[in-house]
Amino acid sequence: MSRPIPLQFRIRRVAVLGAGVMGAQIAAHCANANVSVVLFDLAAKEGDPDAIVRRALDGLKKLEPAPLATADRLALIDIANYDRDLARLADCDLVIEAIAERMDWKHGLYAKVAPHLRADAIFASNTSGLSINALADGCPDSLRSRFCGVHFFNPPRYMSLVELIPSRSTDAALLDALETFLTTTLGKSVVRALDTPNFVANRVGVFSMLAAMHHTERLGLGFDEVDALTGPAIGRPKSATYRTADVVGLDTLLHVVKTMTDHLPADPWHRYYTAPAWLAALVGRGALGQKTKAGVYRKDGRQIKVLDLATQDYRDAAGAVAEEVQVILAERDPQMKLAALRASAHPQAQFLWSVFRDVFHYVAVHLGDIAHSARDVDFAMRWGFGWQAGPFETWQAAGWQQVSGWLRDDIAAGRTMSDAPLPAWVFERHAAHEAAGSWSASAAALQPRASLPAHARQLFPELVLGEMPRATHTIWEGDEVRLWTLDDADGARAPVLSFKSRMSAIGPKVLEGVREAIARAERDFDALVIWQPQGPFSVGANLKQIRPVLEAGDFKALDGVINDFQQASQAIKHAQIPVITAVQNMALGGGCEFVMHSPRAVVALESYIGLVEAGVGLIPAGGGCKEFALRAARAAEASATKDPMNFLQSVFQTIAMAQVSKSARHAQELGLLKPDDVVVMHAHELLHVARRNAVAMADSAWRPALQASNIMVAGRSGIATLDMMLVNMREGGLISAHDYRVARAAAVALCGGEIETGSRVSEQWLLEVERAEFVALLRTPETQARIAHMMDTGKPLRN
């Protein structure tokens, strides 16, 4: 018998068996998390025995969206093949099988690798729907307690959901250890699933797609019309129904459906677990969707074509939501919205009601079979399929008893896809979710949330409808900021500052609030964390507030606003307490500058950071250019050449091209984050980690950076070097005359102004140079036009 696995089991090295699309991307995401990983596949029959894995790793560099947070992550993935390297499995704490969905192939591989696994290693299958108990039967007895399913969703880096599925023999402590690793180390959101065909998300999601396909044909709608209805219009991803099928792969979709056909013969909806004739025909002729460049949709040049069932040929895609249905969908009250869809005679409205109704019916009947609770179903659909609300949440928001009555009536009238009666609990309850928990049909009780230590790190986790958010206490509140805390030990020492402006945009009231909050924190607390409960960290300067002043030509007032911005950034940097920025989503422009001035940033991996001012004809002037000049000087002092241009050329391109990082680790490569800034994999752990860092810095007698006054700058020769590159680009037609002017202003600010190379200046000097260049650009008609165009259209103007 293997030794027990402790809850805090450390997974130091992972092996992934199978270098296909999923296996390679799972390995990539382990590398994103700084986890050493070895990727296995078959030995090539000819030539390089590792050719299969090498091709898979080369493919990772080309995939979009990028599975790798930075290109150097590849160095953390070792290459192996089954013929030569099985002994290397002994070094691995977790082994994930990710080969094709063939039970016999998987069992054959298990027999091959089992003798090489360590006695305490976790062995898991990434199967998307095969029985975990049947898979476990292919493992030796000694391995079964350490075997389970761990189903990542594609693409693994970006899809939050991982389904964790035990067999009847899986050790409970192992599951807790693995969930901890998946949550904190890999940043995933875990749903514990039952060992049923396709588990939770695919079971409900694929049924929803089958229901949509059924009602598409019944009501004579076009595929593009249905996608217009089932995307953002109802809180679903843009890919909606049929585009999602193309992205997933029509063959993959058929495989998932076949799993339901083969393993759910007594299911009340079994007759619908089959491919429509048109879908089977597409797969039969190799039109598998996006991967073959043709499926339900096909791209001809710039024109998107869609399959027309009537003609069995492709036509231009032009599906749209009918005006009267748009009016219904614009209704904010969920009860009135669903009632109006049900009452409308329009085919589109009837389609939507029918799909909602049949999914409600399905999850109610199957809740006890497929999930531990309604919460798991709703989270699985949010995290795995990108729904804004799960089916039980949607039902509850529309009035539980009212919708239940409609379902009963439609079932009785034969309008539903199945005549299965609703379970008695549906009519005995008034909601699926309550503050005390979510309904479990199998336990016939409300089930509270799980309570692993990893979950406690999520101070504000995602909630389902009916759950109450954690209470906070306001310390001080301004017009556009709020200083608040939680009633715990860290809260007593490190309060949180949040912005109340739309998209956390930074205007005069936010700048005033930042300085006031820092002053209060310096007086009463040990540290301060800047964090936004929702949305981006900040999209930068509030152009809406600046525009009227700009149009009035009050450049003195604008100079004062920029000075205030710089002083707020300096207050963050030189505060007498550590001011930590906790970043997720976007930190652009001035938001990025706040992060650059923070003594430490704690940043979620999926953070997109950049100095984007060039897009509106400006340069960073909240201290961003100053910080880069200062960092270049420090790098130069530590180098053999003593030349700040070695650092400045790359950051100049970042600013001039308004480059935004593709991840937090990429932001570190670009110099927008410091090497010792902390990258957090799970965004919901961000605040916890930021507060712990803030308190730890305070406890370590941290002191702020002193105002620098001896900064070596590149001066005129640096400007000339950068200018030469710009002139060539302008003369080659790569940039416009105003692009040149904006980029040259950035060069002047980065190089410390038109002064002698090697001159020594202060931080204040650099701030004044960048502010002067910024205001000079504001005076130009071209920059004013760019700002107006961005405000009016949300898109950059090239002029």
Side-chain angles (χ1 to χ4, degrees):
M1 183 175 180
S2 60
R3 67 177 177 82
I5 298 175
L7 291 180
Q8 297 304 317
F9 181 72
R10 299 294 183 187
I11 295 177
R12 295 154 296 192
R13 186 161 171 81
V14 173
V16 178
L17 310 181
V21 173
M22 284 300 292
Q25 290 194 73
I26 291 169
H29 194 61
C30 289
N32 290 338
N34 273 344
V35 175
S36 173
V37 60
V38 54
L39 180 60
F40 280 82
D41 211 302
L42 297 168
K45 294 180 180 178
E46 297 179 357
D48 178 7
D50 294 323
I52 293 173
V53 178
R54 291 190 197 281
R55 280 197 300 271
L57 296 183
D58 286 342
L60 291 175
K61 303 173 190 175
K62 304 169 187 173
L63 280 177
E64 289 294 338
L68 295 162
T70 53
D72 68 353
R73 300 286 102 190
L74 275 178
L76 294 179
I77 306 176
D78 290 340
I79 295 172
N81 68 70
Y82 302 129
D83 287 357
R84 183 192 62 211
D85 301 309
L86 288 179
R88 298 173 67 180
L89 292 172
D91 297 330
C92 299
D93 307 294
L94 169 63
V95 178
I96 301 172
E97 170 268 305
I99 68 170
E101 293 287 81
R102 283 272 302 267
M103 186 74 72
D104 55 338
W105 290 1
K106 290 178 187 287
H107 279 172
L109 181 60
Y110 296 176
K112 181 182 291 187
V113 303
H116 301 275
L117 300 181
R118 233 180 33 228
D120 60 353
I122 301 173
F123 188 41
S125 174
N126 183 57
T127 178
S128 60
L130 295 180
S131 168
I132 299 302
N133 282 305
L135 288 171
D137 289 342
C139 298
D141 290 347
S142 61
L143 183 57
R144 291 180 188 176
S145 66
R146 294 180 281 120
F147 179 79
C148 64
V150 54
H151 177 214
F152 289 82
F153 274 65
N154 189 23
R157 172 181 165 186
Y158 300 96
M159 295 302 293
S160 180
L161 179 63
V162 170
E163 292 175 318
L164 188 57
I165 315 101
S167 76
R168 65 178 68 92
S169 304
T170 307
D171 183 272
L174 175 145
L175 289 174
D176 289 346
L178 187 52
E179 181 168 351
T180 297
F181 171 77
L182 291 167
T183 301
T184 294
T185 304
L186 296 190
K188 299 291 118 187
S189 300
V190 175
V191 165
R192 299 273 184 111
L194 302 176
D195 186 22
T196 56
N198 296 332
F199 314 129
V200 183
N202 277 343
R203 178 75 173 271
V204 176
V206 170
F207 174 78
S208 177
M209 295 176 75
L210 291 172
M213 291 175 183
H214 169 71
H215 293 299
T216 298
E217 293 194 63
R218 180 178 71 84
L219 293 165
L221 303 181
F223 295 145
D224 52 340
E225 190 177 5
V226 167
D227 277 356
L229 291 166
T230 56
I234 60 169
R236 307 279 171 83
K238 290 181 179 179
S239 55
T241 300
Y242 293 103
R243 288 186 191 278
T244 294
D246 272 355
V247 170
V248 169
L250 301 185
D251 54 337
T252 302
L253 177 61
L254 282 191
H255 172 80
V256 176
V257 172
K258 189 175 186 302
T259 299
M260 297 164 75
T261 306
D262 294 346
H263 298 285
L264 296 167
D267 190 287
W269 284 268
H270 184 266
R271 67 192 178 100
Y272 295 101
Y273 297 160
T274 185
W278 61 264
L279 179 56
L282 285 174
V283 173
R285 63 174 185 256
L288 307 181
Q290 186 170 282
K291 59 189 172 186
T292 60
K293 303 189 185 304
V296 178
Y297 291 91
R298 187 182 72 195
K299 192 172 183 181
D300 287 351
R302 294 186 176 182
Q303 181 61 47
I304 303 296
K305 304 277 189 176
V306 65
L307 182 67
D308 189 303
L309 283 181
T311 65
Q312 291 296 299
D313 199 1
Y314 289 91
R315 60 167 172 79
D316 290 350
V321 179
E323 188 173 338
E324 66 181 88
V325 179
Q326 287 182 26
V327 172
I328 295 173
L329 294 177
E331 171 59 54
R332 291 178 177 270
D333 185 328
Q335 297 190 35
M336 294 181 66
K337 181 186 297 186
L338 214 58
L341 288 174
R342 185 172 189 265
S344 173
H346 195 286
Q348 291 186 358
Q350 280 300 297
F351 170 84
L352 287 173
W353 162 248
S354 298
V355 172
F356 277 127
R357 175 201 62 208
D358 288 336
V359 172
F360 295 160
H361 187 192
Y362 190 82
V363 296
V365 169
H366 282 303
L367 177 57
D369 305 329
I370 65 173
H372 293 290
S373 73
R375 181 192 305 105
D376 289 341
V377 172
D378 283 346
F379 276 154
M381 299 317 297
R382 282 208 226 161
W383 297 335
F385 276 74
W387 294 10
Q388 286 182 6
F392 286 111
E393 291 178 294
T394 304
W395 181 348
Q396 184 169 322
W400 184 269
Q401 291 293 344
Q402 174 179 265
V403 174
S404 300
W406 291 340
L407 291 179
R408 179 188 55 212
D409 293 346
D410 278 14
I411 294 168
R415 290 190 284 267
T416 54
M417 294 170 67
S418 167
D419 60 1
L422 288 167
W425 64 262
V426 168
F427 301 102
E428 294 166 358
R429 301 201 51 74
H430 293 277
H433 305 294
E434 298 180 17
S438 297
W439 181 252
S440 170
S442 56
L446 290 172
Q447 187 177 81
R449 280 176 171 263
S451 56
L452 288 177
H455 301 149
R457 294 165 58 89
Q458 299 182 26
L459 303 178
F460 295 93
E462 282 193 56
L463 304 176
V464 289
L465 187 68
E467 286 187 296
M468 297 299 294
R470 186 168 183 164
T472 62
H473 170 66
T474 299
I475 299 168
W476 169 78
E477 194 162 9
D479 290 342
E480 292 192 350
V481 301
R482 176 177 176 245
L483 184 64
W484 55 275
T485 190
L486 296 170
D487 293 327
D488 59 9
D490 287 345
R493 300 185 62 190
V496 180
L497 176 66
S498 299
F499 304 163
K500 299 189 293 181
S501 53
R502 185 175 182 274
M503 302 288 283
S504 303
I506 303 169
K509 294 294 185 182
V510 170
L511 297 173
E512 179 184 321
V514 167
R515 296 177 71 179
E516 175 66 20
I518 290 173
R520 288 173 178 265
E522 285 178 324
R523 185 183 67 211
D524 299 329
F525 298 95
D526 296 332
L528 177 67
V529 174
I530 303 177
W531 175 77
Q532 317 304 348
Q534 295 179 340
F537 177 79
S538 176
V539 294
N542 193 330
L543 295 178
K544 185 176 180 180
Q545 294 178 351
I546 292 174
R547 187 177 184 180
V549 186
L550 179 61
E551 290 175 345
D554 191 348
F555 295 103
K556 183 176 180 181
L558 288 169
D559 185 84
V561 170
I562 304 309
N563 181 65
D564 289 345
F565 213 131
Q566 293 178 337
Q567 295 312 306
S569 296
Q570 291 291 85
I572 290 171
K573 181 175 182 178
H574 298 293
Q576 294 303 302
I577 56 169
V579 179
I580 305 302
T581 47
V583 181
Q584 61 182 321
N585 197 282
M586 292 183 290
L588 304 178
C592 175
E593 288 173 298
F594 278 1
V595 175
M596 291 176 70
H597 283 79
S598 173
R600 178 165 299 164
V602 178
V603 188
L605 178 73
E606 298 308 330
S607 295
Y608 312 105
I609 302 172
L611 296 169
V612 296
E613 289 84 354
V616 288
L618 295 169
I619 66 168
C625 292
K626 177 267 299 181
E627 277 299 294
F628 272 142
L630 178 57
R631 294 177 190 184
R634 287 175 176 164
E637 298 284 9
S639 72
T641 63
K642 307 299 181 186
D643 186 358
M645 290 303 294
N646 293 334
F647 179 85
L648 285 179
Q649 290 197 57
S650 62
V651 300
F652 170 70
Q653 291 181 0
T654 299
I655 291 174
M657 300 298 291
Q659 187 171 1
V660 176
S661 74
K662 296 179 180 179
S663 70
R665 298 201 190 283
H666 186 214
Q668 287 178 312
E669 283 190 350
L670 295 174
L672 297 165
L673 293 178
K674 299 179 289 297
D676 59 349
D677 286 336
V678 179
V679 177
V680 174
M681 295 298 291
H682 202 302
H684 287 291
E685 296 186 0
L686 187 65
L687 183 58
H688 165 81
V689 176
R691 294 201 309 161
R692 298 305 301 145
N693 268 265
V695 170
M697 289 173 71
D699 285 343
S700 66
W702 171 90
R703 294 291 300 163
L706 298 176
Q707 287 270 2
S709 59
N710 193 32
I711 306 164
M712 181 177 65
V713 296
R716 291 192 186 95
S717 74
I719 296 170
T721 299
L722 299 176
D723 189 52
M724 186 181 305
M725 179 174 64
L726 293 173
V727 168
N728 290 336
M729 293 176 69
R730 183 185 62 189
E731 293 180 353
L734 299 176
I735 61 174
S736 70
H738 195 60
D739 290 333
Y740 166 80
R741 183 168 185 172
V742 172
R744 193 180 191 285
V748 172
L750 289 170
C751 294
E754 300 274 6
I755 59 176
E756 288 300 317
T757 297
S759 296
R760 303 278 176 166
V761 302
S762 66
E763 283 190 59
Q764 188 58 40
W765 170 276
L766 292 169
L767 290 171
E768 289 172 3
V769 171
E770 73 176 19
R771 190 169 77 248
E773 293 295 326
F774 184 94
V775 174
L777 288 169
L778 276 179
R779 291 179 177 272
T780 64
E782 294 87 353
T783 286
Q784 292 175 20
R786 289 189 181 191
I787 292 173
H789 191 270
M790 179 65 75
M791 291 294 297
D792 294 338
T793 69
K795 297 178 181 179
L797 172 68
R798 286 295 305 276
N799 59 354

